[in-house]
Amino acid sequence: MGAIRTPLPHQPADENLNSRRGTKEAGQACVPRKKYELPRGAINLPRKEQGRASHSLSVEEPVAGFIFFKRNICMPRHPHNLKARHPHRKRDSCKYKSNTRKTMTGKIIKGIAGFYYVYVEETKEAKETATGGTLYECKAKGTFRKQKIKPLVGDIVDIAVLDDEKHIGNVERILPRKNELIRPAVSNIDMALVIFASAKPDPNFNLLDRFLCMMEYQHVPVTICFNKKDLITPKEQQELKSIYEPAGYRVLFTSTKTGEGIDEIKHILEGRTTTVAGPSGVGKSSIINCLQDDVQMETGHISEKIERGKHTTRHSEIIPIKDGTYIMDTPGFSSMDVPGFEKEDLWTCYPEFVEYEPYCRFQGCSHINEPDCGVKEALADGKISQVRYDNYKLLYEELKNRQKY
């Protein structure tokens, strides 16, 4: 059954529709109906404008239905084929209504595969009911990617809550960062807790000094922790202290096996955001497990063949201890590049050198080959550790021979 076609609005309703079509009698060719004529210059207009121009024509013999026309001649469509258009109506592609969103401020505690988990501390009402903080799963806005800004673990952010029941939101804004570390890639750190093993594996002093230089370069206070205290003697503990205490660093000794030193660490961490860093296999995750009860990090064993740790921490994660106190577990590392500064600035990352640098004879002294050097005189007097000075020379030569691009 053919479709019933409705006359155009300007056609009489009682007029026979077939009388306005081309007629074909026996032995005669089909008589075409009269074509529309566009205003002068309309053919040169864009196709959309041609269509608009054709609507304003007054036609002596309008005909409903579809008609074929010459090229570049545009006619209005049949009323049944006209699509309802709403130029002022915007389609909301998000399934969450914008008028239901609320904004909250929290800290990114973990980032995995483009998802950022934001911890919002408990409010005053929540403290009274002991409900604790809330963790929201968020995606970052596309504007961050356009601006080449990547949210980091530790960032303080404003989020728009899309679903309060499912705890889903969007990261809307990143508040100004206090600092930003390169490795581990974290931000807004109050203190760094560098953990090395006292034995098994033996501490790598060159790697430790590299990390200390990196923290000094970014003005982050450092506390050094030597774990596995039960594996060394008191004399060996004193030797480790004599290397770093003259440089102004606080040195702690802990043992997750006996629990020694854990309470002292808890006291140091209170009210701060602290990143825990160090090579693999030194017991970082074990210490974190002793500091809190909610999150038990996976721990690994030392490789018997090479006496080195196996990576068990695969992503950076902030663990809330209590309001205002956070610890950040980061993946272990076995090597680390020196930060991007020149060799002439390396001595500024050795706090014990700064005290004796004014006694150098030459301005810009490298503290290696120059005579009358205040740093080398302090080294000869035993005021500077020989281990630290040897690592300084190695790092200086490495920066000196580094190829620049």
Side-chain angles (χ1 to χ4, degrees):
M1 181 176 180
I4 300 176
R5 297 180 178 178
T6 307
L8 291 173
H10 53 268
Q11 295 175 350
D14 57 348
E15 190 172 355
N16 187 7
L17 184 65
N18 292 328
S19 65
R20 292 186 297 276
R21 296 179 179 173
T23 59
K24 182 179 180 182
E25 298 180 359
Q28 295 183 0
C30 179
V31 180
R33 65 160 183 83
K34 186 175 180 179
K35 299 181 177 63
Y36 287 95
E37 293 182 359
L38 295 175
R40 180 178 297 179
I43 295 180
N44 296 327
L45 295 175
R47 184 166 295 275
K48 291 184 179 180
E49 300 296 333
Q50 292 180 13
R52 294 172 184 172
S54 63
H55 280 282
S56 62
L57 295 178
S58 59
V59 186
E60 296 179 0
E61 299 180 5
V63 178
F66 293 96
I67 303 173
F68 294 97
F69 298 92
K70 292 183 180 181
R71 191 175 183 180
N72 295 332
I73 302 297
C74 180
M75 288 296 297
R77 298 178 180 178
H78 189 272
H80 289 304
N81 293 336
L82 290 177
K83 296 182 179 179
R85 298 182 180 179
H86 304 278
H88 301 292
R89 181 180 177 183
K90 295 181 180 180
R91 180 180 296 178
D92 188 6
S93 59
C94 181
K95 61 181 179 180
Y96 302 104
K97 296 294 183 63
S98 59
N99 56 3
T100 62
R101 299 179 184 176
K102 63 179 180 179
T103 303
M104 305 182 75
T105 302
K107 181 189 289 284
I108 297 179
I109 67 170
K110 182 169 60 174
I112 299 178
F115 288 92
Y116 300 96
Y117 297 87
V118 180
Y119 177 79
V120 179
E121 291 185 355
E122 57 182 348
T123 58
K124 294 181 180 180
E125 294 78 7
K127 287 182 180 179
E128 296 176 357
T129 58
T131 56
T134 307
L135 189 64
Y136 288 89
E137 182 185 85
C138 302
K139 294 280 287 184
K141 292 179 63 176
T143 55
F144 295 129
R145 184 171 59 255
K146 293 179 181 179
Q147 298 173 3
K148 296 182 180 181
I149 299 175
K150 182 180 180 181
L152 299 177
V153 174
D155 277 341
I156 308 297
V157 296
D158 288 337
I159 64 170
V161 179
L162 304 180
D163 193 321
D164 213 353
E165 295 181 357
K166 297 181 180 180
H167 298 161
I168 297 175
N170 276 341
V171 177
E172 299 287 332
R173 185 168 70 101
I174 300 176
L175 275 64
R177 293 167 177 167
K178 182 191 306 181
N179 50 41
E180 178 182 346
L181 305 189
I182 301 172
R183 184 172 182 179
V186 294
S187 65
N188 298 322
I189 299 301
D190 297 320
M191 186 184 71
L193 181 65
V194 186
I195 301 177
F196 275 72
S198 302
K200 292 187 179 181
D202 294 333
N204 185 337
F205 296 115
N206 184 272
L207 180 60
L208 176 54
D209 283 352
R210 287 171 182 262
F211 191 87
L212 294 177
C213 287
M214 188 176 185
M215 295 298 104
E216 291 289 342
Y217 182 68
Q218 300 179 98
H219 308 289
V220 177
V222 180
T223 297
I224 303 173
C225 174
F226 288 103
N227 194 27
K228 304 181 183 181
K229 175 184 177 181
D230 53 297
L231 299 181
I232 60 174
T233 63
K235 181 180 178 180
E236 292 172 325
Q237 293 181 25
Q238 190 60 38
E239 291 177 356
L240 293 174
K241 279 188 175 182
S242 65
I243 297 175
Y244 292 100
E245 282 188 344
Y249 295 110
R250 186 172 185 175
V251 181
L252 305 177
F253 291 91
T254 60
S255 173
T256 55
K257 186 176 181 179
T258 63
E260 294 182 77
I262 300 300
D263 291 338
E264 189 176 1
I265 291 181
K266 287 182 179 180
H267 178 71
I268 294 174
L269 300 182
E270 188 173 358
R272 299 178 177 179
T273 299
T274 305
T275 179
V276 180
S280 305
V282 299
K284 297 190 306 296
S285 297
S286 298
I287 290 178
I288 292 175
N289 288 339
C290 295
L291 296 175
Q292 43 78 48
D293 300 325
D294 296 335
V295 179
Q296 291 295 311
M297 307 295 292
E298 180 186 359
T299 58
H301 300 284
I302 299 297
S303 173
E304 296 180 358
K305 183 177 181 180
I306 60 176
E307 292 189 351
R308 291 174 61 185
K310 301 176 183 178
H311 292 280
T312 56
T313 305
R314 298 173 181 86
H315 58 269
S316 297
E317 179 177 0
I318 288 182
I319 303 171
I321 301 298
K322 57 183 180 180
D323 284 347
T325 302
Y326 303 88
I327 54 176
M328 181 185 300
D329 191 23
T330 59
F333 55 89
S334 296
S335 61
M336 184 174 63
D337 294 332
V338 177
F341 51 79
E342 300 298 329
K343 63 182 185 300
E344 291 81 9
D345 301 325
L346 179 61
W347 69 270
T348 61
C349 296
Y350 280 74
E352 65 270 40
F353 287 14
V354 177
E355 181 180 354
Y356 303 104
E357 192 273 339
Y359 299 100
C360 293
R361 177 181 176 183
F362 299 100
Q363 187 177 5
C365 179
S366 65
H367 316 301
I368 296 179
N369 299 319
E370 293 85 350
D372 299 331
C373 174
V375 173
K376 291 195 294 183
E377 291 177 0
L379 176 66
D381 295 338
K383 298 178 182 179
I384 294 177
S385 168
Q386 185 68 44
V387 174
R388 292 271 290 170
Y389 183 76
D390 291 342
N391 288 330
Y392 167 80
K393 292 195 298 183
L394 291 174
L395 294 178
Y396 186 91
E397 289 298 322
E398 183 177 324
L399 289 172
K400 181 179 178 181
N401 298 327
R402 184 180 61 184
Q403 186 174 5
K404 297 182 179 181
Y405 295 94

